[in-house]
């Protein structure tokens, strides 16, 4: 009988541990109008908070320095919402962005929304974003995507028997230290950038620092990277479909002369060649913005700042749309799927019908 006690203790510990593990939380993501192009989630009693990969904290208008707010989402199995969940969170007092009641800071900080979800719900400090398109890329889209905080699978439907799209994720790319005091997410492009499979020659040597942003609408490149990059795309495209520039873009084309595929317009791919040999590939649906009915522009812009003070590249929200992007703060990795419309899906395909 004495030999059964250790086994019983282990069983009780296992049951106790299982009981303390929560379920990931699910929320819708909405893309706002073209004037701001921000992504929001209805986390504050159904009211929108801006999702910001660079913000270290939850913020809300209030007096003082911090306050306690009640946030809400739904637990999920990765396929559907299961049940409503509300929890108290610490927020910093700050003015709200236009069209929202605050900010859900997603950066690498103990005060961020993912970190507070992990602590209160006893789930992983990891989150998955599937940013929606508003239909201006050649893809269909209703401006509604999904985010899951806490790890686990992520299913898009139909059909119901389709495997989790997390099976399509790249290998994890190591996250690098915060850059120039910014607590957001940075990776290293050890092999630089390629256009149409040809590496772009950039002055200087060494890896390029690449940031991620959900509040910058289009990818920004520092001046020393932008000029050779734009020139490379211009050469690869040729001039047959080229038209006058439309701000803020430099290269624009007659879209009726561009061939539209399930990946968007058929234009040279852009590869950000990341540490470990993984490429963040930008196809036409994420590189060409439809600025009007007859014009599509190459959606990369020049940033200000100098070498050492500004990342070489910041991947904007437009370049991450209709991909599943996973940022795992426990493992300190960044991973992502290929372009989903190329596989017959968009981020608008998540089934928000509650499970029976």
């Amino acid at each position: 009988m004495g030999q059964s006690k250790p086994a019983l203790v282990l069983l009780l510990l296992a049951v106790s541990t299982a009981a303390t593990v929560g379920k990931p939380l699910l929320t819708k993501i909405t893309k706002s109008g073209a004037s701001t192009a921000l992504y929001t989630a209805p986390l504050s009693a159904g009211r929108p908070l801006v999702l910001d990969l660079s913000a270290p904290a939850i913020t809300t208008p209030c007096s003082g320095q911090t306050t306690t707010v009640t946030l809400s989402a739904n637990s999920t199995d990765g396929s559907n919402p299961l049940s409503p969940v509300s929890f108290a969170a610490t927020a910093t007092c700050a003015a709200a962005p236009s069209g929202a009641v605050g900010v859900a800071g997603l950066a690498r900080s103990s005060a961020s929304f993912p970190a507070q979800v992990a602590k209160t719900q006893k789930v992983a400090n990891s989150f998955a974003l599937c940013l929606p398109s508003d239909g201006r890329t050649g893809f269909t889209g209703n401006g509604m995507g999904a985010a899951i905080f806490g790890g686990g699978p992520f299913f898009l439907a139909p059909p119901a028997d389709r495997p989790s799209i997390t099976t399509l994720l790249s290998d994890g790319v190591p996250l690098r230290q915060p850059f120039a005091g910014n607590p957001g997410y940075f990776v290293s492009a050890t092999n630089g950038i390629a256009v149409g499979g040809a590496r772009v020659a950039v002055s200087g040597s060494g890896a390029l620092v690449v940031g991620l942003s959900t509040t910058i609408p289009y990818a920004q490149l520092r001046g020393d990277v932008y000029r050779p990059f734009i020139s490379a795309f211009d050469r690869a495209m040729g001039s047959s479909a080229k038209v006058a520039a439309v701000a803020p873009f430099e290269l624009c084309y007659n879209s009726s002369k561009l061939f539209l595929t399930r990946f968007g317009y058929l234009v040279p791919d852009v590869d950000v060649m990341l540490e470990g040999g993984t490429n963040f590939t930008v196809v036409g649906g994420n590189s060409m913005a439809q600025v009007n009915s007859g014009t599509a522009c190459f959606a990369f812009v020049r940033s200000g700042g100098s070498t050492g003070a500004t990342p070489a590249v910041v991947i904007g929200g437009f370049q991450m749309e209709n991909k599943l992007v996973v940022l795992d703060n426990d493992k300190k990795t960044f991973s992502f799927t290929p372009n989903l419309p190329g596989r017959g899906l968009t981020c608008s395909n998540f089934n928000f019908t509650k499970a029976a």
Side-chain angles (χ1 to χ4, degrees):
M1 292 292 291
Q3 292 182 343
S4 66
K5 288 183 179 179
L8 178 60
V9 170
L10 288 173
L11 176 61
L12 291 173
L13 284 173
V15 170
S16 175
T17 301
T20 62
V21 176
K23 289 187 178 295
L25 297 187
L26 165 72
T27 184
K28 294 179 180 180
I29 299 177
T30 300
K31 184 176 183 180
S32 64
S35 60
T36 59
L38 295 173
Y39 305 92
T40 63
L43 296 166
S44 179
R47 297 174 299 171
L49 296 182
V50 170
L51 299 175
D52 187 348
L53 286 173
S54 298
I58 301 163
T59 66
T60 189
C62 54
S63 55
Q65 293 185 326
T66 63
T67 189
T68 300
V69 294
T70 299
L71 300 181
S72 57
N74 281 280
S75 62
T76 185
D77 56 4
S79 296
N80 303 87
L82 297 178
S83 58
V85 175
S86 295
F87 61 97
T90 300
T92 299
C93 298
S98 176
V101 297
V103 171
L106 307 180
R108 301 171 71 182
S109 161
S110 60
S112 72
F113 180 77
Q116 295 198 57
V117 169
K119 182 178 180 180
T120 61
Q121 307 304 307
K122 296 180 170 45
V123 292
N125 188 357
S126 172
F127 61 97
L129 300 178
C130 206
L131 299 179
S133 163
D134 56 10
R136 294 185 300 126
T137 62
F139 299 145
T140 57
N142 60 11
M144 187 74 71
I148 292 180
F149 296 87
F154 196 114
F155 293 90
L156 294 176
D161 60 352
R162 191 186 298 271
S164 167
I165 61 169
T166 51
T167 61
L168 303 176
L169 286 170
S170 67
D171 292 337
V173 177
L175 291 172
R176 291 305 169 200
Q177 293 299 315
F179 183 81
N182 185 321
Y185 296 90
F186 298 91
V187 290
S188 179
T190 50
N191 292 308
I193 306 175
V195 172
R199 188 171 182 269
V200 176
V202 177
S203 61
S205 60
L208 302 178
V209 175
V210 178
L212 306 173
S213 176
T214 47
T215 56
I216 293 173
Y218 304 106
Q220 295 184 352
L221 288 80
R222 199 176 57 219
D224 58 310
V225 181
Y226 175 82
R227 182 46 52 200
F229 172 73
I230 285 291
S231 297
F233 189 85
D234 192 20
R235 289 193 301 271
M237 280 292 289
S239 60
S240 61
K242 197 171 180 182
V243 296
V246 178
F249 308 117
E250 182 173 337
L251 298 178
C252 296
Y253 302 88
N254 181 338
S255 56
S256 68
K257 294 184 179 181
L258 302 178
F259 186 64
L260 187 61
T261 75
R262 62 184 181 178
F263 296 96
Y265 289 118
L266 185 60
V267 297
D269 289 349
V270 172
D271 288 303
V272 183
M273 299 180 288
L274 301 174
E275 183 176 359
T278 298
N279 287 354
F280 186 91
T281 300
V282 183
V283 298
N286 297 104
S287 68
M288 302 297 292
Q290 193 77 42
V291 296
N292 58 49
S293 61
T295 306
C297 298
F298 189 49
F300 291 78
V301 299
R302 180 173 181 155
S303 68
S306 59
T307 303
T310 306
V313 180
V314 177
I315 296 172
F318 185 77
Q319 279 70 37
M320 291 188 279
E321 289 179 358
N322 285 316
K323 291 173 175 275
L324 184 69
V325 171
V326 175
L327 289 154
D328 191 324
N329 286 300
D330 290 334
K331 297 179 181 178
K332 297 181 175 59
T333 57
F334 163 56
S335 53
F336 46 89
T337 66
N339 167 267
L340 294 174
R343 295 173 180 265
L345 293 165
T346 73
C347 286
S348 298
N349 286 134
F350 193 89
N351 185 358
F352 279 100
T353 304
K354 284 193 176 180

